[in-house]
Amino acid sequence: MTDAVDCDVLVVGLGPVGAVLAALLAQQGVRVIAIDRDKEVYPLPRAAHFDHEIMRIFQQLGIAAEVAAHARVAPAYEFRNAAGEVLLRFDQAGQDGPSGWPPSFMFNQPGMEQAVRARLATFPNAQIRLERCFESFAEVEGGLLAALSGPAGWETVHARFIVGCDGARSAVREACGIALFDYAFDEPWLVIDAVPLPGARVPDVCLQICDPARPTTCVLMGPGRHRWEFMLKPGETPAQVLDDAFIRDLLAAWDCADTVEVVRKVVYRFHGLVAESWRSGRVLIAGDAAHQMPPFAGQGMCSGLRDAANLSWKLAAVLAGADDAILDTYQTEREPHVRGLIELAIAMGRLVCMSDPAAAAVRDAGLLAQRAAGTSAVPPLAPASFAAGFLLAGSPAAGSPMPQPRRGERRLDDVLGDGAWLIARGAPPRSRRLDGVPLTAISLGDEGLADFADVLSNWLDRQASEAVLVRPDRCVFGCGDPDALLAAFAAQLRGT
């Protein structure tokens, strides 16, 4: 690797996705320059929810405790009709998700972003350049030359790769000429963020009010914060619904017009979009630049952070000598996940946004009957396993997330660390690198796994396997014979 370039990866956009991607890359030794058009972290919350898989990513970065200070375990999530009857209820309180953390968290985004940026700033191989706008790029020998504008004028960055994490209006996506697939779901909603004052009585669960007169969402945010979302009626304009008196009338129906302080009000259009291509040579996109979804499943930011985890280890491997064709598995793996969640969120949105009273009555009757019979079809929010990509096709558990057992506050990932893992019943090969990917090979009998050996052994029993090879993003590459797993993993890295 030559020093002729300024960095290995230029990350455009330092929202949650860009900051996490840059930090994950830097943690793997990749030289990163991360830019953002703004001088500071946006001071008000936007995303509201993340799940156990995302907390596992924060754990990998060593900032789980810092993020937890700005989050709280999510309470139940109820869909109610206009009469207050519960149509659907999501409730996993009191148990860990498969990733070794509570299933869901509600959080304050600015605090979380500050924690990620603070971690990114600790890496000597990472630079943060603020008040920089990506303008264009050109292919040059050894990579790409990006043109940036900023307070001091124009500057260029010579990078091996560029990743656009620059949001829904991505300049990087536009520069690549990448089109968007539109799910034709477009609903305008008023979003109100508020801080309850002492004595305020606000709901203690997250709610979707399926009222055809005005579909409404009310959710807990990070500690000490609440959010309301109100669907606009036909003919209502953003200027009209953003008026303070209009907002006060909406909150009065919740008996809190005088007991909360409104800190943010904005009209969003909820829609579903997916970029047709997530890679153009040495340029890739992630997060909202690649996909956008309605908020009803709480998986928009989660999906972007899964992009970052998936892409970061593959970029690091390519930069260390692996075949760059493995970057094509990024979209192969992530796009079906994203589409499944978008389609789920749209289905939930159509359920909520039903404005015809007769149709809503039929919906309510059906869901209430299912609930009374104990047959409510609560859809899974977790993505399905990968069907194809960087995995051992046909192998047990291939493409699924590797569970993380926990004993007290001790979790498996903290024991085994970064990189790929080979966990075997017998003595595995010694730890080594596989074409640029660090590998930890360990036996179930190793004393370091004593707290987790029974859980891991039972998991391997269910796969009828002697070993499991886990990718750096904690996705199962495959199960089977340890030597065969290593050989297959290395062959895919080499592109053979």
Side-chain angles (χ1 to χ4, degrees):
M1 186 179 296
T2 176
D3 289 325
V5 296
D6 299 310
C7 63
D8 298 316
V9 180
L10 171 65
V11 176
V12 180
L14 263 176
V17 177
V20 167
L21 174 64
L24 288 171
L25 288 168
Q27 188 161 287
Q28 296 172 86
V30 174
R31 293 177 297 165
V32 178
I33 294 176
I35 67 167
D36 196 85
R37 65 171 58 244
D38 295 321
K39 186 176 182 180
E40 305 286 349
V41 168
Y42 185 71
L44 297 172
R46 287 170 289 188
H49 166 268
F50 65 83
D51 61 29
H52 58 100
E53 291 185 351
I54 304 311
M55 185 56 105
R56 192 177 190 177
I57 295 173
F58 294 137
Q59 176 194 354
Q60 185 176 355
L61 286 172
I63 57 171
E66 289 81 355
V67 171
H70 302 283
R72 53 180 162 183
V73 175
Y77 181 26
E78 294 183 352
F79 284 54
R80 298 180 184 176
N81 64 12
E85 298 170 297
V86 177
L87 306 176
L88 289 171
R89 179 180 170 90
F90 300 77
D91 191 2
Q92 297 174 297
Q95 59 181 308
D96 277 352
S99 299
W101 293 93
S104 294
F105 296 84
M106 309 305 291
F107 77 109
N108 184 40
Q109 183 174 335
M112 178 275 284
E113 287 196 51
Q114 294 284 10
V116 179
R117 286 201 192 182
R119 177 60 174 142
L120 177 59
T122 67
F123 295 107
N125 52 318
Q127 296 181 40
I128 299 173
R129 300 185 185 179
L130 303 175
E131 297 183 279
R132 306 298 203 281
C133 292
F134 172 88
E135 301 292 349
S136 64
F137 74 91
E139 295 186 14
V140 295
E141 183 178 356
L144 304 164
L145 194 65
L148 313 178
S149 61
W154 288 82
E155 63 186 272
T156 58
V157 172
H158 189 183
R160 295 185 181 280
F161 291 93
I162 295 173
V163 184
C165 305
D166 49 342
R169 298 181 181 88
S170 171
V172 174
R173 186 187 67 232
E174 292 297 317
C176 293
I178 297 172
L180 293 169
F181 173 86
D182 191 339
Y183 275 89
F185 180 88
D186 187 3
E187 296 287 352
W189 283 64
L190 168 66
V191 177
I192 300 169
D193 287 333
V195 175
L197 302 175
R201 298 178 62 184
V202 292
D204 57 4
V205 296
C206 295
L207 298 171
Q208 290 284 0
I209 307 301
C210 305
D211 182 354
R214 173 86 71 183
T216 302
T217 302
C218 177
V219 297
L220 287 72
M221 301 281 285
R225 292 177 178 270
H226 245 73
R227 170 173 290 174
W228 282 265
E229 298 171 354
F230 300 92
M231 192 175 88
L232 271 64
K233 296 180 181 181
E236 290 180 338
T237 66
Q240 177 185 354
V241 302
L242 289 169
D243 181 76
D244 288 343
F246 190 95
I247 291 172
R248 180 179 175 81
D249 287 344
L250 291 174
L251 293 179
W254 290 80
D255 196 24
C256 62
D258 297 314
T259 56
V260 300
E261 177 188 357
V262 174
V263 296
R264 178 174 178 252
K265 54 182 182 176
V266 64
V267 171
Y268 276 121
R269 301 198 75 89
F270 296 163
H271 47 222
L273 302 168
V274 180
E276 294 182 356
S277 176
W278 299 15
R279 181 189 181 195
S280 178
R282 290 178 173 267
V283 183
L284 301 103
I285 55 175
D288 282 357
H291 45 77
Q292 298 149 52
M293 66 183 69
F296 302 105
Q299 288 292 314
M301 186 194 76
C302 294
S303 294
L305 296 187
R306 290 189 185 97
D307 293 347
N310 187 292
L311 182 57
S312 62
W313 78 268
K314 294 174 181 176
L315 275 170
V318 169
L319 288 161
D323 190 319
D324 75 353
I326 71 171
L327 296 178
D328 291 330
T329 68
Y330 162 55
Q331 184 174 357
T332 298
E333 293 173 353
R334 291 292 307 128
E335 184 178 358
H337 271 206
V338 164
R339 285 187 177 273
L341 288 170
I342 290 175
E343 289 159 13
L344 172 61
I346 288 175
M348 294 170 74
R350 295 198 191 285
L351 193 74
V352 172
C353 296
M354 201 173 287
S355 56
D356 176 29
V362 172
R363 171 202 64 197
D364 294 355
L367 291 174
L368 288 170
Q370 290 178 16
R371 184 168 170 81
T375 59
S376 292
V378 178
L381 294 182
S385 300
F386 299 144
F390 194 102
L391 50 89
L392 186 56
S395 172
S400 64
M402 181 65 190
Q404 177 176 214
R406 175 170 73 94
R407 288 289 185 272
E409 294 306 310
R410 193 164 183 256
R411 293 176 171 84
L412 180 65
D413 295 12
D414 296 327
V415 174
L416 295 182
D418 292 340
W421 309 334
L422 179 68
I423 304 172
R425 294 187 191 276
R430 293 183 177 180
S431 299
R432 60 191 178 98
R433 292 180 73 88
L434 288 170
D435 291 284
V437 178
L439 172 74
T440 296
I442 192 167
S443 167
L444 282 181
D446 189 288
E447 64 179 17
L449 289 183
D451 286 342
F452 313 110
D454 56 341
V455 177
L456 294 172
S457 179
N458 290 337
W459 187 87
L460 284 172
D461 287 344
R462 292 194 294 274
Q463 318 311 322
S465 297
E466 290 301 305
V468 57
L469 202 160
V470 182
R471 305 181 337 183
D473 61 353
R474 304 303 159 243
C475 172
V476 173
F477 173 75
C479 295
D481 175 78
D483 290 314
L485 289 171
L486 287 174
F489 194 86
Q492 290 199 28
L493 286 173
R494 292 193 298 267
T496 57

